[in-house]
Amino acid sequence: MDKNIIELKNINKIYGKVFKTQVLHDINISFKEQSFNSIIGESGSGKSTMLNIMGTLDKPTNGEVYIDSQRTDLLTSDQLADIRNQKIGFIFQFHYLLPDFTALENVLIPYMIKKVNPPKDIQEKALELLDMVGLDKVKNNLATNMSGGQQQRTAIARALINNPKIILADEPTGNLDTQSTENVYNIMRNINEKYKTTFIIITHDNRIANKTDRIIEISDGKII
Ligand code: ADP
Ligand code: MG
């Protein structure tokens, strides 16, 4: 319970070679396994950059990143892809579902892309997740025929298909109405309790942030 699942040590991020902009300044932070966290801060403060570095989608200019006690900032891109597949699910503001696939197919997208039949247990897991996010009735609808809230709930189910220990969400409710926002929050909370998944959620919505167990505020690339 007390184990750190993600740790950032002395992280700096500088964009640009000629015109350098430092967007993260000496970030030190860790997250406990099973914790439910939010990150808030003004637009441009460095939230997405920090989340992308935690998720190994981006590399720090210097500093150390640990995922589940393994140092990752020195690994190759293939090694990082493996770690992401095994341990991290991502949810973004714009869900990036494939429009010509059904909700169920979108959850099973790694298999659709490889054009192989998903194993039975994975198919069952996909159905369980779609049920859990309240999409049992529309699971065979094309993504284009679902509401924004339903599409975002599909994206949550998709992020969970590999049983990740960590979910990183970048403004997952940024595009949703109040009712859908509440709904998506409740689903993330249920998943956190049921599967012990660690959540780190960037949000502009104080109602969401105030319901998380820990709020981290970023200002000008520093944690305050
Ligand atoms: P937030 O998510 O808090 O809105 P970001 O992490 O997206 O902030 O961006 C922080 C700062 O870094 C911004 O000033 C942004 O313009 C800059 N930035 C982000 N990505 C890049 C990039 N690839 N190249 C140069 N500057 C970037
Ligand atoms: Mg952002």
Side-chain angles (χ1 to χ4, degrees), residues 42-49 52 93 170-171 202 204:
E42 285 182 14
S43 185
S45 57
K47 304 181 296 297
S48 295
T49 302
N52 290 341
Q93 178 173 0
D170 196 342
E171 306 202 26
I202 295 179
H204 266 114

Side-chain angles (χ1 to χ4, degrees), residues 36 180-189 208 211-212:
F36 196 81
S180 301
T181 294
E182 182 73 18
N183 202 339
V184 163
Y185 166 80
N186 287 331
I187 288 165
M188 293 193 291
R189 191 47 111 165
I208 296 289
K211 288 199 274 194
T212 62

Side-chain angles (χ1 to χ4, degrees), residues 97-112:
L97 298 185
L98 296 186
D100 297 334
F101 288 90
T102 66
L104 179 59
E105 288 167 342
N106 267 283
V107 174
L108 294 167
I109 208 67
Y111 300 92
M112 296 296 146

Side-chain angles (χ1 to χ4, degrees), residues 8-13 22-29 62-63 221-223:
L8 300 183
K9 287 190 184 166
N10 308 313
I11 295 290
N12 289 286
K13 180 68 178 178
Q22 182 154 4
V23 299
L24 293 178
H25 300 263
D26 203 34
I27 298 280
N28 285 284
I29 191 160
N62 50 56
K222 299 186 187 92
I223 292 171

